[in-house]
């Protein structure tokens, strides 16, 4: 929606702050023994990414950087794009990306290009003089987003069902709950298999109906005659990439079908991630033992 491009930046920041406060309040209301704090928030027009950490682990969060990249109108406006946050957690590195890619069923190439542009444009720096992002790119040969132990990429990626099946047939399968063949025609699945986007990323098994397009306020797909008929699709996705795949397990991947504030149904996932934790006392002891062995061998 082009209106999003000219949305007042102050209003956008206020909305982001309201969501941040609401989510933090909800998290901290669950258990007095497990309180959270905000690590960082980044937003871009309608995109909001907030990272929280349990208070007892906050001291182990370090090297926090955030960035945004607009890839919409003229290849730079924020109606489409991504927000990213990277951080060190104990002795591992994590990166989170929330993105909104190009719309419309036929525009697969536009979505692929948006993904690649976000990947290329995002650099993590606090100022123009901060060389962190460039150092990472030059040392690794990878875009900064990918140069982490764990990367989580989520959002309205906007991939649809290929046009070789009719809109009516997509509705029929989506509403029947038997949609295995639709997943074979899902554009993101197809493009990943071709190696065009999200190389090296994984996605959990999709066992929920297409999350778009619903009539807001209901659990019914949008079919009103005065509205443009759009084939249901899994627009909303969560993918991940790990340098060591054995160190991450996705535990859940679901859609919140009962939430009806939007024409999308939000998706959510939980992961068990094995992070490194270097104990300094043990490290010092090992170094001392190695030095003693080297000295004794002289």
């Amino acid at each position: 929606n082009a209106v999003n491009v000219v949305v007042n930046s102050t209003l956008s920041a206020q909305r982001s702050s309201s969501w941040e406060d609401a989510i933090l309040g909800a998290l901290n209301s669950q258990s007095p023994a497990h309180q959270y704090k905000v690590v960082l928030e980044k937003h871009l027009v309608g995109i909001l990414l907030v990272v929280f950490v349990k208070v007892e682990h906050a001291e182990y969060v370090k090297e926090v950087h955030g960035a945004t990249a607009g890839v919409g109108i003229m290849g730079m406006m924020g109606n489409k794009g991504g927000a990213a946050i990277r951080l060190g957690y104990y002795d591992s590195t994590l990166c989170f990306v929330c993105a909104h890619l190009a719309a419309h069923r036929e525009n697969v190439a536009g979505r692929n290009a948006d993904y690649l542009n976000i990947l290329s444009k995002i650099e993590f720096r606090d100022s123009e003089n901060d060389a962190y992002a460039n150092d990472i790119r030059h040392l690794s040969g990878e875009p900064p987003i990918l140069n982490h132990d764990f990367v989580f990429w989520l959002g309205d990626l906007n991939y649809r069902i290929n046009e070789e099946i009719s809109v009516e047939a997509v509705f029929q399968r989506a509403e029947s709950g038997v949609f295995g063949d639709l997943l074979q025609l899902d554009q993101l699945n197809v493009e990943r298999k071709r190696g065009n986007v999200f190389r090296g990323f994984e996605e959990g098994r999709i066992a929920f109906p297409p999350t778009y397009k619903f009539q807001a306020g209901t659990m019914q797909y949008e079919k009103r005659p005065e509205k443009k008929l759009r084939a249901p699709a899994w627009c909303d996705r969560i993918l991940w990439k790990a340098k060591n795949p054995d160190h991450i397990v996705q535990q859940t991947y679901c859609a919140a079908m009962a939430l009806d504030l939007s024409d999308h149904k939000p998706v959510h996932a939980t992961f068990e991630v094995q992070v490194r934790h270097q104990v300094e006392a043990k490290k010092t002891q090992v170094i001392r033992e190695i030095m003693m062995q080297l000295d004794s061998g002289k």
Side-chain angles (χ1 to χ4, degrees):
N1 189 330
V3 174
N4 288 338
V5 179
V6 294
V7 69
N8 183 283
S9 60
T10 301
L11 179 59
S12 180
Q14 289 172 347
R15 289 173 175 171
S16 299
S17 180
S18 295
W19 274 107
E20 179 184 320
D21 292 343
I23 297 168
L24 183 61
L27 288 171
N28 286 338
S29 68
Q30 298 302 305
S31 170
H34 298 291
Q35 295 293 286
Y36 289 81
K37 63 181 295 185
V38 175
V39 174
L40 188 64
E41 172 270 335
K42 296 298 292 184
H43 65 271
L44 178 70
V45 187
I47 299 169
L48 173 64
L49 176 63
V50 190
V51 174
F52 302 89
V53 64
K54 285 183 178 178
V55 171
E56 60 263 35
H57 297 291
E59 64 180 297
Y60 299 104
V61 175
K62 54 197 173 184
E63 297 173 355
V64 179
H65 294 259
T68 61
V71 298
I73 296 172
M74 296 184 292
M76 59 182 290
M77 300 300 286
N79 61 314
K80 297 293 184 288
I85 295 172
R86 65 88 52 205
L87 55 93
Y89 185 61
Y90 287 85
D91 295 301
S92 294
T93 55
L94 297 89
C95 183
F96 303 90
V97 184
C98 184
H100 187 193
L101 308 185
H104 304 303
R105 192 178 185 186
E106 70 281 1
N107 195 16
V108 180
R111 286 183 276 282
N112 291 356
D114 284 353
Y115 162 76
L116 294 171
N117 283 336
I118 293 169
L119 200 60
S120 173
K121 285 186 173 184
I122 288 288
E123 292 190 344
F124 300 105
R125 59 178 70 198
D126 291 329
S127 69
E128 290 302 316
N129 297 322
D130 187 344
Y132 174 85
N134 288 330
D135 289 346
I136 291 294
R137 188 188 293 268
H138 292 157
L139 288 171
S140 69
E142 288 186 318
I145 285 175
L146 299 182
N147 195 43
H148 294 85
D149 295 315
F150 305 97
V151 182
F152 299 91
W153 194 304
L154 59 144
D156 179 4
L157 306 188
N158 246 328
Y159 285 92
R160 312 298 175 92
I161 305 300
N162 271 338
E163 293 182 281
E164 59 197 78
I165 184 173
S166 70
V167 173
E168 292 75 15
V170 176
F171 271 113
Q172 181 183 19
R173 286 164 172 77
E175 292 171 335
S176 72
V178 181
F179 39 72
D181 56 339
L182 288 184
L183 287 168
Q184 300 299 315
L185 299 174
D186 172 79
Q187 293 170 350
L188 180 55
N189 289 340
V190 171
E191 294 304 300
R192 286 180 59 218
K193 287 179 182 177
R194 291 174 176 171
N196 292 333
V197 290
F198 291 100
R199 292 182 184 178
F201 279 80
E202 302 290 339
E203 184 180 22
R205 186 177 72 89
I206 293 177
F208 48 85
T211 56
Y212 175 85
K213 179 181 184 180
F214 284 82
Q215 183 178 335
T218 76
M219 294 179 63
Q220 305 297 319
Y221 287 111
E222 180 61 86
K223 288 184 176 180
R224 288 177 291 181
E226 68 272 20
K227 299 289 185 177
K228 185 173 181 179
L229 196 64
R230 299 188 185 277
W234 287 279
C235 292
D236 312 284
R237 311 290 276 268
I238 301 172
L239 297 94
W240 77 91
K241 186 177 189 292
K243 288 191 174 179
N244 187 335
D246 293 333
H247 289 175
I248 183 169
V249 176
Q250 187 180 55
Q251 297 175 316
T252 64
Y253 190 24
C254 308
M257 303 303 289
L259 294 181
D260 58 12
L261 296 176
S262 166
D263 55 4
H264 290 253
K265 299 297 184 183
V267 297
H268 55 95
T270 56
F271 296 85
E272 181 178 313
V273 176
Q274 181 179 331
V275 297
R276 295 189 303 274
H277 181 30
Q278 185 171 275
V279 180
E280 288 301 320
K282 184 67 175 177
K283 175 184 174 183
T284 302
Q285 179 185 345
V286 170
I287 292 174
R288 185 181 298 115
E289 290 174 354
I290 292 173
M291 295 303 295
M292 290 175 63
Q293 290 175 10
L294 290 173
D295 289 340
S296 64
K298 289 181 179 179

